[in-house]
Amino acid sequence: MADRTNFWKLSDNKKRSLKATVLDSNLNVIQLDQIHFDSDLPHYKTKDGVYRDPSDSGRIVSPTLMWIEALDLVLQRLSKSGLDFGKVAALSGSGQQHGSVYWKNGTSSLLSSLDPNKPLLDQFRNAFSIGESPIWMDSSTTAQCREIEEAVGGAIELARITGSRGYERFTGPQIKKIFQKQPEVYNGTERISLVSSFMASIFAGKYASIDHADGAGMNLMDIEKRTWSKVALEATAPGLEEKLGPLAPAYAIVGSIASYFIERYKFNKDCLVVHWSGDNPNSLAGLTLSVPGDLGISLGTSDTVIGISSDPKPGLEGHVFPNPVDTKGYMVIPYMELVFDLEVRNSCAQSSWETFNKLLEQTPPLNGGKLGFYYKDHEILPPLPIGFHRYILQNFSGASLEGVKEQEVKEFDPPSEVSYPSERPVLPVSPTASTETDILFVQNNPKFQIRAIVEGQFLSMRGHAERFGMPVPPKRIIATGGASTNQSLLKSMASVFGCGVYTVQRPDSASLGAALRAAHGWICSKQGSFVPIADLYSDKLEKSSLSCKLSASPGSNEVASKYGVLMKKRMEIEKRLVEKLGRY
């Protein structure tokens, strides 16, 4: 690669922003820019980039045009900053997984004939058959999940084929709901894209394929054959394969960049558009996970555990996706939970990690045997409704669970709990809520304990990772996401897992990973065949933006063992909660 070659990436940062990252040929970040949906585009009146529908419990969407206007704006900012788009050799991107976009019949001709004298927003105002895109947070499709599972032969069979049982946040159930509830929208749609392939389509000036890694997050793709599953498609909606189009490897080329961007922003006509992928697959690339003993943990908008496997066994928990930077391997996600740490910090700790850490340190490690389960939204894993549940383990020493008695309480001791001043509108009470506590959570300002949140999430991560067959303890953990800058959180993570925790230079591994994948797709195209992605950085890793450092040493084996005992009890209680309140 020439010294002046740049690789560019755009990222729909889970739901709150659109970020641009530019890498040079040495894989160092040379330019960044970011559009925050709420503050930079306030006229859409979103909260954290989304709308919550009070009339449809669990329905959460984003305005599709907001994403396009954000793209207009970030390109304008980069142009004004002096970025020479003509030096960009390839671009790719990261889109929030599972979200979907519905192109109106006849829109393909618009994509191929954009006017470079007009902004994108003006030209796409009437391009979509539905203006609000269902996103990864939506949990309103439980009925559709069960219908798809039944049609293919059960939840286990759907997981065997597609890598996951039916999940509300996945795209297939969302498509089925639109087909059932809004047939005119479905029939008026010529192409259904994921957020990733939607953005790639704009840059390529034609419909881009859904890539294998992101496509596995739809409950529609056969993960072994890496093709659409006929039985899953038939269980979802008629004529769906034609609307989805073909699949493609993540490293494959969509095409050269569209003339619109050449004329308006002076991109080089030879700039390649590499298939975009989802945020979790891109995080795997950005963290350079390559050894089965490594775990990646994202502490961002959702807390996610990512690993790799050559022979995964999909089941009723977790997710299996094709590895975006490998032709045969897989990435596995044994755990994903909506994050609470950042929201707690912003709402109750004056947006200060220092204040958050002081509250955390008011209580000792292991929390005196206190276990808290805090769910402010319908949860992903475990599949639990809104609600708070607190338990105190009497006689807990950490040596074993023998003689330990469990007591459920309404609150922990007052000095260690703080109130949560929710600013968002009251949500509908979950239909599965069966206790007064569940109802009070959405109606009043609940209380919670910082250490119970932090340790609870890490214990749950460890428990689900072990249950999924991940190594115990991991060889190492590479942490990413906004909260990975907090040393106290990393120290707690290292103690719970009993291994070292590393961090990368930049906390947004999805953004970095997509820029790296742009370079990977470019070199694969130049070589005419697949090239292992490690070949890009094997001799320059420590001098690039991909390098990582040890940020938290493992705690003592004794402490890790005690956390292991506490984890077993937490998983036992969690199982009972799921049996009593869960959606499955």
Side-chain angles (χ1 to χ4, degrees), residues 59-79:
R59 180 176 181 266
I60 302 178
V61 297
S62 287
T64 310
L65 287 176
M66 179 182 71
W67 296 334
I68 290 180
E69 188 170 359
L71 177 56
D72 271 329
L73 188 54
V74 79
L75 288 169
Q76 291 167 18
R77 287 186 181 179
L78 288 168
S79 181

Side-chain angles (χ1 to χ4, degrees), residues 329-578:
Y330 296 87
M331 63 172 284
V332 295
I333 299 181
Y335 177 90
M336 180 183 290
E337 185 177 79
L338 296 176
V339 73
F340 211 0
D341 296 342
L342 285 169
E343 189 162 342
V344 168
R345 182 203 67 173
N346 295 337
S347 298
C348 306
Q350 296 83 53
S351 297
S352 163
W353 280 128
E354 182 179 359
T355 303
F356 180 95
N357 291 341
K358 287 180 179 178
L359 293 170
L360 174 64
E361 290 161 9
Q362 285 182 358
T363 48
L366 296 164
N367 206 17
K370 297 184 179 72
L371 291 172
F373 298 77
Y374 301 94
Y375 306 117
K376 64 181 179 60
D377 280 299
H378 299 286
E379 202 44 80
I380 305 170
L381 283 174
L384 285 167
I386 295 167
F388 280 14
H389 314 275
R390 303 170 181 83
Y391 299 85
I392 296 177
L393 305 184
Q394 298 174 344
N395 305 320
F396 176 76
S397 66
S400 72
L401 292 177
E402 186 176 352
V404 172
K405 295 183 179 180
E406 163 197 324
Q407 179 185 3
E408 185 170 9
V409 297
K410 290 185 177 180
E411 294 183 7
F412 293 136
D413 49 302
S416 69
E417 290 204 315
V418 293
S419 294
Y420 176 71
S422 177
E423 298 176 355
R424 72 184 190 208
V426 171
L427 297 175
V429 175
S430 165
T432 57
S434 60
T435 68
E436 185 179 12
T437 304
D438 295 321
I439 298 173
L440 287 175
F441 173 61
V442 296
Q443 293 180 340
N444 300 324
N445 294 338
K447 292 182 178 181
F448 54 86
Q449 188 204 63
I450 298 291
R451 183 167 294 277
I453 292 174
V454 171
E455 290 193 351
Q457 288 181 217
F458 292 154
L459 287 168
S460 192
M461 286 181 189
R462 177 178 166 178
H464 284 277
E466 290 186 12
R467 199 151 71 185
F468 207 75
M470 296 291 98
V472 184
K475 178 181 177 183
R476 63 173 180 168
I477 290 172
I478 306 177
T480 184
S484 66
T485 59
N486 184 330
Q487 192 64 31
S488 293
L489 288 179
L490 300 182
K491 182 179 178 181
S492 179
M493 182 189 296
S495 295
V496 171
F497 279 87
C499 69
V501 175
Y502 293 73
T503 54
V504 291
Q505 287 186 24
R506 304 204 59 82
D508 187 359
S509 59
S511 179
L512 184 62
L516 178 64
R517 285 199 318 97
H520 184 226
W522 181 84
I523 198 169
C524 289
S525 176
K526 295 301 178 184
Q527 294 292 330
S529 62
F530 176 80
V531 176
I533 195 169
D535 288 3
L536 271 70
Y537 52 74
S538 59
D539 60 346
K540 63 179 73 172
L541 185 62
E542 295 307 315
K543 296 180 180 180
S544 75
S545 292
L546 302 169
S547 63
C548 61
K549 64 177 182 179
L550 179 64
S551 295
S553 298
S556 69
N557 292 335
E558 180 183 0
V559 171
S561 176
K562 289 181 178 181
Y563 274 117
V565 174
L566 192 61
M567 175 204 71
K568 291 179 181 178
K569 190 62 179 179
R570 181 180 178 87
M571 298 301 287
E572 177 187 313
I573 296 172
E574 180 186 289
K575 180 181 179 182
R576 293 204 308 267
L577 288 173
V578 170

